[in-house]
Amino acid sequence: MSRIAAVAPVLPVEVYTQAEITHHLAPLIARDPGKRAVMSRLHTSSKVATRHLVRPLESYAALDSFTVSNDVFISEGLLLAERAIRDALEIAGVEAQDVDFLLFTTVTGVSAPSLDALLISRLGLRPDVKRMPSFGLGCVAGASGLARVHDYLAGHPDDVAILLSVELCSLTLQRDDDSMANLVASGLFGDGATAVVVLGERRAEALGARGPRIVDTSSRVYPDTEGDLGWDVGGTGFRIVLSAGMPDVIRDHLRPEVDGFLAANGLERDSVTEWMAHPGGPRVLEVFEEVLDLPEHALAISWGSLERVGNLSSSSVLHVLADTIETRPAPGAHGLLFAFGPGVSAELVLLEWPDA
């Protein structure tokens, strides 16, 4: 089994209260005072207190085209990515030259060459490092990326792999779009990145790594749900698709999905002590708690992440993973990391902390 050696979440230095963000963005998004009032109520009820933005808040008025915003994604995303990977390598105690596989995921900007390729010379990665850039998985990509890295390491047990997530959600701001989906999204999403170093089984043993093991993973795409979550991509960039039916998709599928996955690994829900849910928003977290019949405070780390930084798309669940590792779960503890994304798709990752 592969083992997580380090998780390094990073955030931009600019941080603002939800009220400050609402005040500055409202004139850009909604002209109608009534819609601005709705936007203010939605932002207040989002359970988000602060968010980090890749640019000073007052500069967003000047991001008036997809070209301008995407250029910022490349330049600023590269800086955050470099910080995250350097931090993760230092925590893991491995060198850049040791990295054999790099999976990069984002859903908030595009470039060719992709950011992972631009990082090779900056970080001193080997020119023969295997790369896998990914776009389109959205919020599920933190969990899916971890699972795909695990799949790679199953066949390469001596290798070192990195999962890199960079999400600059604020750059997808849609001007003059007072749709309910955009009003909701403008109050939820923040900017951030994460790098995760994962070791193949033999490499982990050689290094004496003590992080959680990835035991198993599960992927699912639910038919006829493609209109519930995603992007409409056009001349203004990425326009959010977010339907009111998303909680129902989770309610219909999550419990049997989790129960079946755990049973296949000889476990029940009561066997799991560490619940690492993607903090998609307050309604999503409430449905997770309801459907899985979770104990009180089981998702406290996810709720706390939502409050401090908002929804970071694919990076969010990895920030939750980092915060969970910081709590030092008990030896032998089982954890379930899970997220939903466009498709609608779901990914479950079963973790186990090492015995003392």
Side-chain angles (χ1 to χ4, degrees):
M1 297 179 191
S2 62
R3 192 178 291 274
I4 296 170
V7 184
V10 298
L11 296 162
V13 296
E14 302 285 346
V15 59
Y16 299 93
T17 67
Q18 184 77 313
E20 290 174 315
I21 294 172
T22 305
H23 175 75
H24 277 82
L25 295 190
L28 302 178
I29 293 174
R31 299 178 184 272
D32 176 33
K35 288 295 183 94
R36 291 186 188 180
V38 172
M39 178 177 169
S40 180
R41 289 197 298 271
L42 290 169
H43 284 205
T44 301
S45 64
S46 68
K47 307 295 185 184
V48 177
T50 54
R51 284 183 277 168
H52 291 251
L53 305 180
V54 77
R55 286 290 204 193
L57 187 51
E58 60 272 14
S59 72
Y60 280 80
L63 300 179
D64 56 1
S65 72
F66 174 63
T67 299
V68 173
S69 296
N70 199 63
D71 285 347
V72 174
F73 170 83
I74 296 169
S75 60
E76 298 296 332
L78 195 59
L79 294 175
L80 280 179
E82 183 177 1
R83 272 178 55 198
I85 291 181
R86 288 192 187 279
D87 288 352
L89 290 173
E90 182 176 357
I91 295 168
V94 298
E95 302 294 329
Q97 287 283 311
D98 296 329
V99 178
D100 303 288
F101 179 67
L102 173 58
L103 192 158
F104 165 58
T105 188
T106 188
V107 76
T108 54
V110 293
S111 67
S114 50
L115 295 191
D116 51 299
L118 299 177
L119 286 165
I120 290 176
S121 59
R122 293 173 72 113
L123 290 168
L125 298 170
R126 299 197 317 268
D128 66 344
V129 65
K130 302 177 184 73
R131 299 183 299 113
M132 182 64 70
S134 166
F135 179 90
L137 285 169
C139 294
V140 79
S144 295
L146 202 58
R148 300 296 78 79
V149 165
H150 171 69
D151 292 342
Y152 168 84
L153 290 171
H156 301 82
D158 295 303
D159 281 9
V160 175
I162 292 180
L163 167 63
L164 171 66
S165 161
V166 177
E167 301 290 13
L168 306 186
C169 305
S170 69
L171 299 178
T172 67
L173 173 70
Q174 292 293 302
R175 295 162 169 266
D176 299 319
D177 178 4
D178 61 6
S179 65
M180 186 59 69
N182 196 50
L183 296 182
V184 170
S186 67
L188 277 178
F189 291 94
D191 298 340
T194 317
V196 185
V197 175
V198 189
L199 307 177
E201 187 169 18
R202 288 201 294 259
R203 189 59 167 265
E205 290 176 358
L207 293 177
R210 300 295 298 161
R213 296 185 304 144
I214 300 177
V215 177
D216 197 7
T217 70
S218 173
S219 304
R220 190 75 59 168
V221 178
Y222 304 115
D224 304 319
T225 61
E226 59 271 12
D228 286 311
L229 183 63
W231 293 125
D232 279 335
V233 183
T236 60
F238 304 126
R239 188 178 298 271
I240 191 74
V241 174
L242 181 63
S243 84
M246 188 63 197
D248 292 331
V249 175
I250 297 171
R251 188 175 286 107
D252 291 343
H253 297 286
L254 181 59
R255 184 167 182 157
E257 201 77 57
V258 167
D259 286 350
F261 178 60
L262 292 176
N265 285 279
L267 301 170
E268 298 178 343
R269 264 179 282 144
D270 289 345
S271 310
V272 177
T273 59
E274 312 302 323
W275 293 91
M276 292 156 282
H278 168 69
R283 187 67 187 123
V284 169
L285 289 177
E286 288 167 357
V287 174
F288 287 162
E289 291 172 332
E290 169 196 333
V291 169
L292 296 175
D293 193 24
L294 294 178
E296 190 177 5
H297 306 306
L299 298 185
I301 292 177
S302 295
W303 280 106
S305 183
L306 180 67
E307 181 182 18
R308 292 190 309 276
V309 301
N311 182 341
L312 305 178
S313 191
S314 67
S315 268
S316 264
V317 78
L318 301 178
H319 278 239
V320 171
L321 171 61
D323 292 342
T324 301
I325 290 173
E326 283 294 314
T327 68
R328 299 184 181 276
H334 287 98
L336 186 68
L337 181 146
F338 61 100
F340 283 76
V344 169
S345 57
E347 193 84 30
L348 311 179
V349 180
L350 180 62
L351 303 178
E352 183 181 45
W353 268 259
D355 292 329

